[in-house]
Amino acid sequence: MSVTLSPELRRPLVDRYGRVHTDLRISLTDKCSLRCTYCMPAEGVPWLQRDMILTTDELVRVAEVAAALGIATVRLTGGEPLLRKDVVDVVSRMSRLEGPDGPLELSMTTNGILLPKLARDLAAAGLQRANISLDTLRADRFKELTRRDKFAEVLAGIEAAQASGMSPIKINVVAMRDVNDDEIVDLVRFAADRGLEVRFIEQMPLDAGHIWSRVRMVTGEEILEQLGEQFRLTPLPGRASAPAERFRVDDGPTTVGVIRSVTKPFCGTCDRVRITADGQLRNCLFSREESDLLTPLREGGTDDELARVLHRCIAGKLPGHGINDPGFLQPDRPMSAIGG
């Protein structure tokens, strides 16, 4: 495949506020093997129809056009991306794509359950990094939080990812009051002992039941206060557009990240754009509007048409997500259907 674009369209994805977009998140499926209480209901989830999911050819074509417009990094998400049967082929084909500055940097966010089976093949296919979700180190609490008894599988998945050579491996933790906030220090020690980086994430209003509560959310400041009682934290420079503030722990090799999407938004440097599993383009995780890529992909649209959709979507991006505005409305889609 090769991209054919008019010269006037072959330009970076820049919004009205001067933010250059270089990071693309692509959801491979809306399905998940867990039912985390802060993300999905226990049952009755309305999955997308199979014929509405982007095919591998469609995924690769969109990524190739995006790369021509300056996208440099692609993160594969879900739902749970490893549930997609052709996930290794998707990774293999994506890893061969190049933008103006060279090959795409390819990573994945996963719950890790299928990594013991797939990690080696994914790494060989070109997957460079992985973020693995793990909110607790207690098997009983994991079962309660996810409604599935898969704690041992996730631990095995972390080990498999490391053995495959993927690096870095980051552990994503959603911090919740009176749920897992007593494990924040333990999770850092767990990561330090294994050469991992842990990233604590403020819980965001992206649950399927729309029952998010600011009171139950553990703030980034509270997380840092807890860690500061046990460790010496040194801020690391060079954050740029990264969502996580990173700190060195006790002057050693271990680092910890804190993502304060609610209490300290980083919208002013956001460089991310998302494509849902059914081909809808979103310029913000909290956007209530989407731009359709599925239709032009299936009705013979040219590369120029796809590029115009991308440019229009980015041009319409708001200055911030508005979580703290009085009139904020949660997106209709939950996180599992948007893609992380």
Side-chain angles (χ1 to χ4, degrees):
M1 237 187 298
S2 59
V3 175
T4 304
L5 288 176
S6 301
E8 67 271 16
L9 291 172
R10 194 181 282 270
R11 64 182 191 275
L13 294 166
V14 185
D15 67 18
R16 293 173 294 171
Y17 305 95
R19 294 171 294 194
V20 182
H21 292 69
T22 60
D23 186 330
L24 177 63
R25 311 291 172 97
I26 301 177
S27 176
L28 300 186
T29 178
D30 63 325
K31 293 182 178 179
C32 190
S33 44
L34 300 178
R35 295 291 182 275
C36 296
T37 55
Y38 57 83
C39 182
M40 301 174 74
E43 53 189 36
V45 182
W47 304 122
L48 292 169
Q49 294 182 14
R50 193 169 187 175
D51 62 355
M52 296 299 291
I53 301 290
L54 291 179
T55 67
T56 299
D57 285 345
E58 291 166 344
L59 288 168
V60 173
R61 186 179 177 208
V62 169
E64 190 170 30
V65 171
L69 303 180
I71 290 295
T73 62
V74 170
R75 179 180 296 278
L76 302 176
T77 70
E80 173 46 50
L82 297 183
L83 290 179
R84 185 167 173 132
K85 293 182 179 179
D86 63 346
V87 63
V88 175
D89 186 43
V90 171
V91 168
S92 177
R93 293 179 63 181
M94 289 272 185
S95 69
R96 295 197 290 268
L97 300 182
E98 295 195 18
D101 298 321
L104 295 179
E105 182 180 310
L106 194 60
S107 63
M108 178 180 289
T109 297
T110 171
N111 62 30
I113 291 172
L114 292 176
L115 281 175
K117 176 183 176 183
L118 295 171
R120 194 170 298 279
D121 289 343
L122 289 167
L127 188 65
Q128 296 161 277
R129 302 185 287 111
N131 286 28
I132 301 172
S133 300
L134 181 64
D135 297 319
T136 176
L137 299 174
R138 288 173 40 180
D140 60 332
R141 185 174 282 177
F142 182 93
K143 185 176 180 180
E144 183 178 354
L145 263 173
T146 67
R147 304 186 179 103
R148 299 290 187 272
D149 190 11
K150 298 289 184 180
F151 179 69
E153 286 89 336
V154 177
L155 294 186
I158 293 170
E159 293 179 1
Q162 288 188 290
S164 75
M166 284 186 258
S167 179
I169 306 297
K170 298 178 182 179
I171 304 302
N172 285 354
V173 181
V174 176
M176 293 162 281
R177 194 174 309 285
D178 301 324
V179 176
N180 65 345
D181 56 340
D182 58 339
E183 295 188 70
I184 287 172
V185 169
D186 291 340
L187 282 156
V188 171
R189 289 184 172 135
F190 170 87
D193 289 345
R194 291 160 180 79
L196 308 166
E197 178 180 334
V198 62
R199 291 154 48 107
F200 294 102
I201 304 168
E202 290 182 337
Q203 187 181 358
M204 295 177 281
L206 289 166
D207 57 297
H210 291 207
I211 58 173
W212 174 82
S213 166
R214 190 179 294 270
V215 175
R216 292 192 66 203
M217 180 192 77
V218 180
T219 68
E221 190 64 32
E222 290 175 282
I223 292 166
L224 290 172
E225 285 176 3
Q226 267 205 51
L227 294 178
E229 292 174 359
Q230 299 293 326
F231 309 109
R232 184 170 55 259
L233 300 179
T234 306
L236 291 173
R239 179 182 179 184
S241 61
E245 301 169 75
R246 297 175 67 238
F247 302 84
R248 189 170 303 285
V249 178
D250 288 343
D251 299 326
T254 300
T255 61
V256 61
V258 179
I259 300 178
R260 299 198 252 185
S261 301
V262 178
T263 64
K264 195 176 178 181
F266 40 89
C267 302
T269 58
C270 179
D271 65 348
R272 285 167 292 289
V273 59
R274 290 171 168 80
I275 299 175
T276 65
D278 56 346
Q280 303 303 304
L281 190 67
R282 300 175 63 92
N283 58 26
C284 175
L285 185 59
F286 296 93
S287 176
R288 294 183 60 83
E289 296 180 357
E290 298 176 334
S291 300
D292 181 23
L293 285 168
L294 183 67
T295 299
L297 279 168
R298 296 193 175 174
E299 293 185 355
T302 64
D303 290 344
D304 275 1
E305 289 178 73
L306 297 177
R308 286 191 186 98
V309 174
L310 283 156
H311 279 298
R312 280 197 302 268
C313 181
I314 297 303
K317 188 167 183 171
L318 297 175
H321 55 47
I323 289 177
N324 297 307
D325 297 342
F328 173 76
L329 293 175
Q330 186 171 333
D332 293 328
R333 295 209 204 205
M335 186 70 162
S336 60
I338 293 172

